[in-house]
Each structure stands twice: as structure tokens, then as C-alpha cells.
Amino acid sequence: MALIELKDVSKLYGFGDATTLALDEVSLTIEKGEFMAVMGPSGCGKSTLMNVIGLLDRPSHGEHRLEGKPVARLRPNQAAKIRRDKIGFIFQAYNLLPRLTALENVALPLAYKGVTLNRRLKMASEMLDRVGVQSREYFLPSQLSGGQTQSVAIARALVNNPKLIIADEPTGNLDSASSRLVMELLADIHKMGNTILFVTHNPELTRYATRVVYMHDGSIIHDEKTALGQVATTARKVLYTLPTTSEEDDLAGVSALMKALPSKNPTRAKRKPGAAKAKSKSTTRRKTKAPAKARSKK
Ligand SMILES: Nc1ncnc2c1ncn2[C@@H]1O[C@H](COP(=O)(O)OP(=O)(O)O)[C@@H](O)[C@H]1O
Ligand SMILES: [Mg+2]
């Protein structure tokens, strides 16, 4: 049984003229133990996909199963319980509570589980040790470097021992040395049998992944298995043609990446009529951000 199954999942935001189709009938199966990178330009739906998979957001349409159980229509408190027990989140902006120490931040998720205070602090301390920042236990987030802050956030995501870890641009605010540290941490967690999904703009980081999914305009346009330690084939096309040293270069890398990929997007692809791909369902769908009727009025 797959850990995660999405079938024709769509996510719409807003109403009427302002409707955004953030996910466009995405189907995706993720097995336990995968280490999956998600790439694609800004606004293509990466975070929405992570939020839906992590039960932070509900799909507008489609089926979503977690360990075989349907979870697309759960009530908020049911979703919260599953998140608490099974899923750890790591975000680009760290999301630590500024008035709590590193130790208290890490211990926080355990409070929701009813673990006693002493035990919570002990477990949090052990987790901070594991991510290499135990010496910063009593520091506030503002007193930590970016890399240390992200390590604390990772400790917090892991303290519940979740089987699924979702990291949305976990290295987005970090220099390359700290990025590597964070990815090595995630790699260790992966080795212990956990499933990890992460969003990145940096083709170099696909080295850590066993699978890379490329998104565009709310759709998955390419999905490749990749060997641990190697940059994914499609990502490599970009990496070695561009000197990616700064974040801006990484972003440039993403745009180049989209060009390197076979486009399956009907609004941009120059398809020949009757070409094999034109028959696929994903190319016949409308990809408008506003209903056609509304646009024709203008
Ligand atoms: N809460 C929201 N309300 C309205 N639109 C949203 C919301 N969240 C995301 N979007 C829109 O959905 C699309 C996908 O966003 P997102 O998943 O954040 O992209 P990415 O993470 O790839 O940059 C974007 O057009 C974005 O503006
Ligand atoms: Mg995002």
C-alpha cells in the first residue's frame, strides 16, 4: 500500500474572476521511504501540493489517501490529529515561536500529545543534540544563525517521530554550507526509513533525492527516479550550463529548467494537431486563471 495517493486532485483559490487553479488534476503516488524533491517556478503550486499532502489544506476536487485511508474530506480536528501523529513540517521561514527558547520550541508539539513537562524537555534536548545544536538549548530564535534556526525547526518537526516529513524550501534562506548541513540531516532521517518530501529551487540538492517531480502551472510535467548522490538528469541539464552560486542564479536555473523540459502545457506548448500528447487528458484541460466568460467581456 502506498503511503500517499493523490488522484485527480485540484485546488482552486478564490471565486469568480479571481479564481486561481493552484493544482490542476494532479495524480501522484508516493511510497514509504521515498525522498522526493519538488521543483518548478514560483507560483506553480509546490506549496499547495505540500499543504494538501500534509493535510494543512483540503483539495477542491479529487481523491487523497494516506496509508490507504481517504483524507480529502476530513474535518479540521480530524486532520489536526493525523498531522500531529504522522507528519512533521519544516518551512522556509522556520516558524519558530520568537518568545520561546530553542528547547521550548522543540518541546511544544509534545504538549499537544499530553507528554509530561519533564519528559517533553528531555526528549526535546535529545532531539536538539541529534541535529547538533544542543549547546543552543536556551537561546531564543533571534539569537541563532539561519542554519541553527533551521536545525531547531527540524528538531521540532522530528520530535514526534513522524513517518512523513514535509519540507517546503527548507534551505531557501540558508547559505550553501548551512543548506548542506540541513540536507545531510534530512538524509540521515531518510536513512532511518522515513519518507521525506522537499521543495527546492536548487538543482544541486536533487542529489539527496530518490525522485524528482517537476511542476508547472499546477500540473506535474515530469517525474523521474534518481540515484542518491547524483543530480537528477533533468536538473543536471541546467546545473552544468549555469554557474549557480547565488539564490538568484538558482532561480534563473529554474527558469532554464522549465525550458529544458518537454512542455506539456497547452497554453505554451506549440503542439502539432493530432500529436500523441494532445490526446492526453492533461493537455485538453483549460488552464485559465479566470473563467472564459469573464475574460471575453473585456
Ligand atoms: N491562500 C491562497 N489564496 C489565494 N491564492 C493562493 C493561495 N495560496 C496560493 N495561491 C495561489 O496559488 C498558486 C500556487 O501557489 P503556491 O502553491 O504557493 O506556489 P509555489 O509554492 O510553487 O510558489 C499561485 O498562483 C498562488 O498565488
Ligand atoms: Mg512555495
Side-chain angles (χ1 to χ4, degrees):
M1 180 183 47
L3 178 64
I4 297 154
E5 278 179 271
L6 301 181
K7 195 157 170 279
D8 297 332
V9 164
S10 296
K11 178 70 190 180
L12 290 128
Y13 287 114
F15 300 95
D17 284 8
T19 304
T20 303
L21 187 54
L23 291 179
D24 188 0
E25 297 190 19
V26 168
S27 295
L28 179 68
T29 302
I30 301 166
E31 302 295 336
K32 183 177 175 293
E34 288 198 80
F35 195 166
M36 191 181 95
V38 180
M39 300 192 74
S42 278
C44 71
K46 304 180 297 297
S47 294
T48 306
L49 180 67
M50 293 299 110
N51 293 346
V52 165
I53 290 175
L55 305 183
L56 286 169
D57 214 341
R58 277 163 50 149
S60 310
H61 305 284
E63 290 169 38
H64 178 196
R65 283 168 195 277
L66 184 65
E67 298 180 304
K69 287 193 209 102
V71 289
R73 310 273 170 267
L74 293 180
R75 273 186 240 110
N77 62 331
Q78 294 172 308
K81 189 170 179 304
I82 296 178
R83 282 200 305 269
R84 184 193 73 190
D85 294 337
K86 299 185 195 270
I87 308 171
F89 294 93
I90 301 159
F91 300 97
Q92 178 176 9
Y94 318 130
N95 291 8
L96 296 181
L97 297 180
R99 287 176 209 280
L100 298 186
T101 62
L103 188 67
E104 289 164 339
N105 264 289
V106 175
L108 198 60
L110 298 168
Y112 301 123
K113 272 191 141 174
V115 181
T116 62
L117 180 64
N118 271 343
R119 179 127 183 80
R120 287 205 297 272
L121 295 178
K122 186 164 178 289
M123 287 168 76
S125 177
E126 282 167 8
M127 197 49 75
L128 283 170
D129 191 25
R130 246 182 69 195
V131 302
V133 285
Q134 202 189 23
S135 62
R136 299 291 184 273
E137 274 185 3
Y138 299 105
F139 284 46
L140 294 172
S142 60
Q143 298 167 319
L144 300 168
S145 72
Q148 288 166 344
T149 311
Q150 193 57 301
S151 297
V152 172
I154 291 176
R156 183 189 52 184
L158 296 180
V159 76
N160 268 347
N161 201 19
K163 51 182 71 168
L164 173 63
I165 289 110
I166 295 179
D168 194 350
E169 300 193 37
T171 64
N173 280 329
L174 303 178
D175 57 49
S176 57
S178 306
S179 296
R180 213 169 303 126
L181 205 88
V182 161
M183 291 312 298
E184 293 294 340
L185 266 175
L186 292 177
D188 285 345
I189 297 155
H190 172 245
K191 271 188 217 134
M192 290 161 53
N194 295 296
T195 309
I196 303 182
L197 316 180
F198 73 106
V199 174
T200 185
H201 282 292
N202 187 348
E204 180 69 45
L205 299 186
T206 60
R207 278 182 200 286
Y208 293 93
T210 58
R211 177 180 182 183
V212 186
V213 156
Y214 303 86
M215 292 184 73
H216 195 64
D217 278 0
S219 298
I220 291 174
I221 56 169
H222 190 63
D223 185 347
E224 70 178 291
K225 294 263 192 272
T226 166
L228 274 180
Q230 280 177 28
V231 174
T233 319
T234 308
R236 194 178 343 165
K237 284 185 193 154
V238 175
L239 190 63
Y240 297 124
T241 52
L242 282 170
T244 52
T245 47
S246 71
E247 196 185 342
E248 265 172 52
D249 287 339
D250 288 345
L251 290 172
V254 171
S255 342
L257 185 65
M258 303 326 291
K259 285 186 198 123
L261 284 165
S263 178
K264 291 184 189 163
N265 181 344
T267 58
R268 301 192 191 177
K270 289 188 190 116
R271 272 190 285 110
K272 287 195 195 100
K277 273 177 192 153
K279 286 192 197 114
S280 97
K281 209 164 134 230
S282 68
T283 57
T284 55
R285 225 175 297 119
R286 246 192 314 147
K287 298 250 184 164
T288 53
K289 297 216 164 177
K293 221 166 93 195
R295 278 180 303 142
S296 61
K297 272 190 224 150
K298 284 175 196 157

